[in-house]
Structures are given as C-alpha cells and as structure tokens.
Amino acid sequence: CDGNPWLVCAQCAFPLVSDSELIEERFRHWQQVCWAYQLAVLNRDEIWCYSATNAADDRFDVVRALPSAIGRSIYCSGTPTAVFSWFPGFAWSMAHCRSCHAHLGWGFCPVDAAYTESCDDCVSPVGGCCSMEGMGGSLEEPANTDIEEETHDQPNGRWNGEGMSSGLVTFCGLVLTKMREKNLSVEEVNESFSWLERLHEYEAALLSLTHALQRAPPGFDLQSFWSLLETSLQEPEIDAARIRRIESSLAEAIGEFAMRDAQEEHEPAVDGEGAQGDPAAPNDNPGTLQDGATYAQSHHAEHAMT
C-alpha cells in the first residue's frame, strides 16, 4: 500500500508513532511481572515487546517508542511514580492520545530526573521501586546491553502540572491493543497534526470566551453574545479567530457599559426616584450561564471526535 506505516489510535485513528520511532532493543525489566518477546510491528520483524501485568493483575502487551511523540501525538498526565514500574529505575505517568484523550499506555522517565522516593523498606538494587523486592521480583538484564546507552540520551527536564513534560520522558510504553497499523502519506500525517493544533487553539479560544461571559458585570445584556457563540458553534469549520473576535467585541461592549454606569452614578437622582433607583437586573441567571458553558464544551467535544 502507498504511504508510510504508522500506529494510530484505535479510538480516533489519529497518527501516534511511525515505524522509525519504535525501539527495537530489548530493555531491562522486572521479570516477575513482565515477559519480553519479539513481534513484527509495522513491517519490522524484530521489535522487542513486553507482556506486563500491573498491580491489579491486568495484563498489557507493550511496545516501547521514542519520546518524540510526546507533545505531538501523546501527552502524559498524573503524578509520576516508580511504584510497580515494569522498568526498574524508571518512573511512569499515564499516556493519552492528544486527539481523543484515550489512554494509550505510559511515559517513562529515569527516577533520578523526576524525584527521590524513599522508605525504610526500600532495598531495590536499582532504586525507584520499593515494592519490587517485597513482591519477590527479579530483574532481567540482557547480556551485552548497556542500559545507559539504550535510554536515548536521558533528558534534563521538569515535571509539569499535568504529568511528565516532553523534555523529561525517555521512552513511551504503548499498549498494542489500543492502536492499529495504518499506512499514511506524509500529507495525511501533516494534515492530522495541523488539524489538531487548530482544534486546540479553538478549544483555548472557547474556554477564554466562556470565562469572559461568566465574568460579565451585573446588568450587562449577554444574550446577543451567547447567540453569536451558538451561531459560531454551528459552523462546519473550527475557527479560533472568529471566537476571539466575539471576545474582543464583548470586552469593548463591557468597557462602554462600565463607562455609562460610572457616569450614571455621578448624575443627580431624578425627582421621585430614590438615590439607588431600580435594582440592576442580573446579566443572566446562573442556570443560563451554566447551560451556555456546558453547550460550548459539549460541542467542542464533538469537534474532537470528527
């Protein structure tokens, strides 16, 4: 078939890793719960994969991939930990598809680069996982394998609020059953990546506008802006610029409203009216605001799946 072989997300078909990003070499692993075997993946006959069982006794068939997919096709979330790590000396964090957010596997980073975990019972010979020796696990280190060389330049990075940063992940462990093989042309891959960036820009603009609508002052009429937002959400093409224009118009209108409100406060009260006048009408009831925000988020989620 035409095109280059890729592993794509089984849920949304977004391209994740190419054949050149798979790691062929056998890697040091926790033999008690992880068994290494060779498998043909993306037309490559000798890729070392791992049949690994987690603490809940769930088994996964995992292939290792270079960290180049992090931030492009995959993101990591959650607090990193080395507990029950299949690859001793490496902490893991959950890895997800950047397009549909499906769980794909894990990102791994050297424990020393992430944090120092300590406890009174930690006697692991490689560090980072105090539970391994207690579980009776044994380590398998293939002959003539230099672990330091195989980790592909251990990076210097930082943890971010969502999980491992792209500069910190040394390799990914991706579940084979959560991906599919597919041949894609360079143009198809680039368009997928470009579309995802446009979608994320659109999502950020939607979130910013929704927050601006919710922060509008009491008495300000939001109806026309909610209508503009709903109309924009019905458009077939996602357009972050259009959403930003609505927010810009909203900010301008709120500024004019605040100026009029300030002028009215300095005007003398009309005969027959109290100094306070009629109470200002609310900008909208909380239910309507919440409904609008929920509507925007649900439509936004539909875009991510198409």
Side-chain angles (χ1 to χ4, degrees):
C1 297
D2 295 335
N4 301 313
W6 280 75
L7 287 174
V8 303
C9 177
Q11 181 165 300
C12 71
F14 189 76
L16 301 172
V17 293
S18 66
D19 62 335
S20 62
E21 293 173 307
L22 297 179
I23 301 176
E24 291 184 343
E25 297 86 358
R26 188 172 182 170
F27 200 68
R28 192 182 198 186
H29 56 281
W30 184 16
Q31 191 177 15
Q32 185 74 13
V33 295
C34 187
W35 173 64
Y37 63 97
Q38 286 181 295
L39 184 70
V41 183
L42 295 181
N43 300 324
R44 294 171 66 178
D45 295 331
E46 298 182 348
I47 299 291
W48 280 98
C49 298
Y50 306 85
S51 179
T53 303
N54 67 8
D57 207 31
D58 298 315
R59 188 180 64 81
F60 303 92
D61 287 290
V62 174
V63 63
R64 293 197 310 136
L66 295 173
S68 48
I70 300 295
R72 182 199 66 197
S73 310
I74 298 170
Y75 70 93
C76 291
S77 68
T79 302
T81 178
V83 174
F84 217 91
S85 176
W86 297 321
F87 303 103
F90 287 82
W92 55 267
S93 185
M94 304 288 277
H96 308 269
C97 173
R98 284 191 71 218
S99 175
C100 69
H101 310 293
H103 173 244
L104 298 171
W106 303 267
F108 290 87
C109 167
V111 171
D112 291 344
Y115 65 98
T116 300
E117 183 178 63
S118 63
C119 74
D120 294 338
D121 298 326
C122 188
V123 293
S124 172
V126 294
C129 185
C130 60
S131 64
M132 290 181 183
E133 291 293 312
M135 291 287 292
S138 59
L139 303 177
E140 179 185 59
E141 183 174 356
N144 302 320
T145 298
D146 189 333
I147 298 299
E148 293 299 322
E149 290 182 1
E150 197 196 343
T151 55
H152 303 283
D153 297 325
Q154 299 196 10
N156 294 318
R158 296 289 184 271
W159 296 118
N160 59 29
E162 298 301 321
M164 282 191 252
S165 68
S166 58
L168 194 59
V169 177
T170 299
F171 64 89
C172 299
L174 304 177
V175 180
L176 288 166
T177 56
K178 297 189 176 186
M179 301 179 291
R180 300 289 182 267
E181 296 190 5
K182 188 175 183 179
N183 282 354
L184 297 170
S185 67
V186 173
E187 292 75 16
E188 289 174 319
V189 171
N190 289 340
E191 175 54 32
S192 293
F193 293 158
S194 176
W195 170 85
L196 184 61
E197 295 310 315
R198 292 197 306 272
L199 176 63
H200 285 177
E201 185 181 5
Y202 179 74
E203 290 174 341
L206 271 180
L207 185 61
S208 179
L209 175 57
T210 301
H211 287 169
L213 288 165
Q214 292 172 329
R215 291 194 303 266
F220 183 79
D221 184 9
L222 286 172
Q223 186 57 48
S224 61
F225 293 97
W226 278 119
S227 297
L228 284 172
L229 175 57
E230 289 195 23
T231 300
S232 296
L233 291 174
Q234 301 304 320
E235 295 292 332
E237 295 294 326
I238 56 176
D239 186 353
R242 182 168 57 238
I243 301 300
R244 287 195 292 266
R245 285 195 295 271
I246 296 174
E247 184 174 359
S248 178
S249 297
L250 173 64
E252 184 178 346
I254 289 176
E256 293 175 355
F257 174 84
M259 289 181 60
R260 289 196 303 270
D261 193 49
Q263 290 173 353
E264 290 173 1
E265 286 183 359
H266 290 85
E267 291 178 356
V270 179
D271 292 344
E273 289 187 5
Q276 297 297 322
D278 294 333
N283 59 0
D284 213 329
N285 63 70
T288 303
L289 278 174
Q290 182 59 42
D291 291 345
T294 302
Y295 176 81
Q297 292 167 2
S298 63
H299 186 90
H300 154 200
E302 290 173 8
H303 273 296
M305 295 298 295
T306 56

